[in-house]
Amino acid sequence: MTYFNKTLASLQPSKSVTLMAKTKSLQKTDPDIINLTGGEPDFDTPKPICDEAARQLQAGYTHYTDGPGDPNLRRALARKLRDENHAPYAPENILITPGAKYAVYLAVHAVLNPGDEAMWLTPGWVSYPSIIQACGGVPVAVNLKWEEEYRISLEALESAVSEKTRLLIINFPNNPTGKVLSSEDRQALICFLQKHPRIILLSDEIYEKIIYPGYEAVSLASVPELFQRTIIVNGFSKSCAMTGWRLGYLACCPDIYNVIMKLFQHTISCTSGFLQKAAIVALDCRDEMEQMRLAYEKRRNLLYEGIRKIPSLHMLRPQGAFYAWIRFDTSMDSETLCNYLLDHAKIAGVPGSAYGEESCTCVRFSFAASEDLLRQMLKRLEALCPLP
Ligand SMILES: Cc1ncc(COP(=O)(O)O)c(C=O)c1O
């Protein structure tokens, strides 16, 4: 019999990645399918970034680089973190990683010992529980409620904590709900973390730049008492439409950083030099980022107004990110529901169960898609609803 690492062998495949691939392949024979599964901007990477990458490639930045990252990029990120996030990490404590996903993995691995518990908020990103498990930890969900608009309360956090808890992972603006931390949410988190000084906070801020009027993406690393024990994860995939470049980063205090670096050196060594040089340009592409944000905002409004008119559908108005988290009045579970939508309306979304919501009837649809496609989606839903 083949001998495997039991923990890794028991992991569930990523539902969103699997569904995205499956839907793309179905679209080859049926182009009428509207694929809203992917967490991927539908814009090209801004031209100045691509031009810079080509220039640096030609200039010969094709060798191993400074392990933790290009010094100029790390300095630029330190300025950005200080000025925009009020999180004054030194450039020496910023690490450039192949995507934010790998940054999450490094951070979780560096903090957890086998059997340690890590809390994550549901609904939440599909990969957190699997990454926790892959690192030998035990994921513990903090179940937030639709009826409370996913408000974070001290009681909910306390109900999930134990003496084994070492890590709390948060992600705002949130995938899949589009929610941003309110000041009450922040207060609950701060109060909780002050009560439990052994817990490290991992703050995944990858959707930080995609935020809608009236809301603010505030990093908890800006709270002086939490700064020392917060690990910020961010990247270029979503804000700059650079998913395929695989460029992310993390920032934290020196003692955690030194542990992370050991794993980084033995697994990745460094990320590509010419891509990192282009990432410096990406940080200055404010107009391009704003243009994309404005397009998402228009689509959000279109979808929200459209869904509200369809009886039996409910949608929370996204405050950030590019996902519509829609609840259907139906007796189907979210997985059956997604299959039904694909079979009967040729609309592909990701079931709520992928985000730790086992009993919900929610589906996540990405609105990183053209307005035209979103209008077609609305028409098809209108024709199909109410559902059995
Ligand atoms: C919440 C969250 N964190 C991290 C990532 C990973 O981003 P990257 O493409 O930089 O690995 C994603 C991508 O879907 C995400 O939604």
Side-chain angles (χ1 to χ4, degrees), residues 229-248:
R229 55 185 170 123
T230 301
I231 307 171
I232 287 188
V233 167
N234 205 331
F236 297 87
S237 289
K238 317 288 178 177
S239 55
C240 296
M242 290 171 69
T243 44
W245 296 55
R246 310 311 299 128
L247 273 180

Side-chain angles (χ1 to χ4, degrees), residues 129-200:
S130 298
I131 289 176
I132 294 165
Q133 281 170 307
C135 297
V138 180
V140 178
V142 179
N143 299 120
L144 306 181
K145 295 194 179 74
W146 166 285
E147 301 75 40
E148 297 174 1
E149 299 192 359
Y150 301 117
R151 182 175 66 85
I152 301 174
S153 67
L154 188 56
E155 300 76 61
L157 294 166
E158 286 293 343
S159 71
V161 76
S162 85
E163 69 218 14
K164 290 190 188 158
T165 312
R166 297 294 314 177
L167 184 68
L168 166 64
I169 304 181
I170 61 169
N171 159 233
F172 294 96
N174 180 259
N175 173 8
T177 62
K179 193 184 135 82
V180 165
L181 282 180
S182 66
S183 57
E184 290 78 21
D185 294 325
R186 275 201 301 275
Q187 242 0 85
L189 284 163
I190 293 169
C191 185
F192 174 76
L193 287 162
Q194 281 172 339
K195 271 183 76 184
H196 300 279
R198 272 162 47 95
I199 299 179
I200 303 288

Side-chain angles (χ1 to χ4, degrees), residues 99-101 125 128 171 175 204 206-207 237-238 246-247 323:
K101 195 179 251 187
W125 187 43
Y128 298 135
N171 159 233
N175 173 8
D204 179 344
I206 187 100
Y207 294 100
S237 289
K238 317 288 178 177
R246 310 311 299 128
L247 273 180
Y323 303 110

